[in-house]
Amino acid sequence: MTIELWKNVDRHYKELILPHDERFDRIEESVRKAGLPEIAISAPYGRLMEILIKTAGIRRVLEIGTLGGYSTAWLARGLPPEGTLISLEIDPERAKLARNNLENFDFKNQIEIRVGNALQLMEEMAQSHQETFDLIFIDGNKSQYPEYLELSLPLSRPGTLIIADNVIKHGQVVNQIIKTPDQKGVVKFHKMVASNPHLEGSVIQTVGQKGHDGLAFIRVKETLSSQ
Ligand code: DHB
Ligand code: MG
């Protein structure tokens, strides 16, 4: 099994099953051209989140880490017309690129990209007691995953779904190769999920065009007694 095969399988199902929308390819191209890292989610992963949002009737989404707006567009595709998405991005240049890319979609007015440190922006949101989110997609700085999770809680309601990207990264966690701040952040994140009685979670490994990685699926419980 090689990454070449995983890439081909992703490509096969992208062509066979996914909607053909060149605007998504153009977002990827814009990231490439800007010399930014090509680390956005895959198309099948984006489609999965779109379908999840539609199925669960999710109306309010928070995304942490916008980059070029690729995952932002997939998330927004799932929203009903009254739905809204707030995406947090620390880099003003990336935010500008994403805004530009999202201009091409009908749902552009449902998306707000906020520029700044996500932890600070989330704290401000929590303090202003604004409406909670139905889905929080964590995909920012991996070393800060524990803090993103902590700050997601006051922004959640019972039943809120939290999805976190890049929580496996070639299985480093199991291999005990935990050296970098990013790896340490992800390990602490998993421990927090395991020990917080308000959360129920799972981790799904993935292989594909982005190699071997995975996502965490976490649900904020209705009550502490529900298992
Ligand atoms: C990488 C991948 C990601 O999806 C991300 O959010 C950050 C980094 C990577 O492959 O390095
Ligand atoms: Mg990611």
Side-chain angles (χ1 to χ4, degrees):
M1 285 290 216
T2 65
I3 184 153
E4 275 317 305
L5 176 62
W6 301 338
K7 273 185 189 168
N8 288 338
V9 172
D10 258 0
R11 198 175 302 123
H12 174 75
Y13 287 108
K14 185 182 171 199
E15 282 166 18
L16 183 70
I17 297 179
L18 267 53
H20 295 176
D21 186 337
E22 284 180 5
R23 291 172 295 186
F24 282 84
D25 300 328
R26 287 207 292 272
I27 298 178
E28 288 182 315
E29 203 180 305
S30 78
V31 169
R32 213 164 21 245
K33 274 193 183 151
L36 293 170
E38 294 173 55
I39 54 171
I41 57 168
S42 68
Y45 186 155
R47 179 66 158 168
L48 170 69
M49 294 206 289
E50 175 200 344
I51 292 171
L52 253 176
I53 289 169
K54 287 176 174 166
T55 306
I58 283 168
R59 289 184 315 108
R60 279 181 53 80
V61 177
L62 175 66
E63 177 181 55
I64 302 165
T66 317
L67 188 52
Y70 187 80
S71 50
T72 320
W74 278 112
L75 292 164
R77 249 183 87 103
L79 289 174
E82 75 279 12
T84 54
L85 188 163
I86 297 174
S87 188
L88 312 180
E89 174 55 55
I90 195 161
D91 179 350
E93 286 305 312
R94 292 181 183 197
K96 195 170 148 196
L97 180 70
R99 284 195 189 108
N100 210 26
N101 286 332
L102 296 164
E103 266 305 301
N104 303 318
F105 293 88
D106 290 344
F107 46 64
K108 64 180 177 207
N109 294 328
Q110 295 174 254
I111 301 170
E112 186 195 338
I113 297 173
R114 292 191 188 166
V115 181
N117 179 303
L119 299 178
Q120 212 171 315
L121 294 171
M122 289 171 85
E123 228 158 74
E124 281 165 20
M125 279 190 260
Q127 271 162 22
S128 68
H129 297 289
Q130 56 149 66
E131 206 186 326
T132 53
F133 293 96
D134 305 314
L135 168 66
I136 300 177
F137 179 52
I138 299 178
D139 194 18
N141 183 334
K142 314 307 160 200
S143 68
Q144 293 181 335
Y145 269 31
E147 289 81 12
Y148 297 147
L149 181 62
E150 194 73 47
L151 283 165
S152 291
L153 301 183
L155 301 174
S156 296
R157 58 165 172 80
T160 288
L161 174 65
I162 299 169
I163 301 177
D165 193 26
N166 312 114
V167 297
I168 301 277
K169 268 276 159 261
H170 320 298
Q172 285 147 329
V173 174
V174 175
N175 291 335
Q176 307 283 318
I177 317 167
I178 303 153
K179 293 194 185 107
T180 67
D182 284 1
Q183 289 162 356
K184 285 182 184 159
V186 172
V187 169
K188 188 168 172 200
F189 172 87
H190 289 303
K191 285 187 179 152
M192 284 169 67
V193 176
S195 63
N196 188 326
H198 293 281
L199 301 175
E200 50 192 359
S202 184
V203 173
I204 304 295
Q205 298 186 76
T206 55
V207 292
Q209 66 188 80
K210 309 283 172 173
H212 176 208
D213 208 332
L215 50 143
F217 251 66
I218 302 149
R219 184 172 171 278
V220 179
K221 287 192 199 176
E222 265 95 21
T223 65
L224 277 180
S225 59
S226 70
Q227 289 299 314

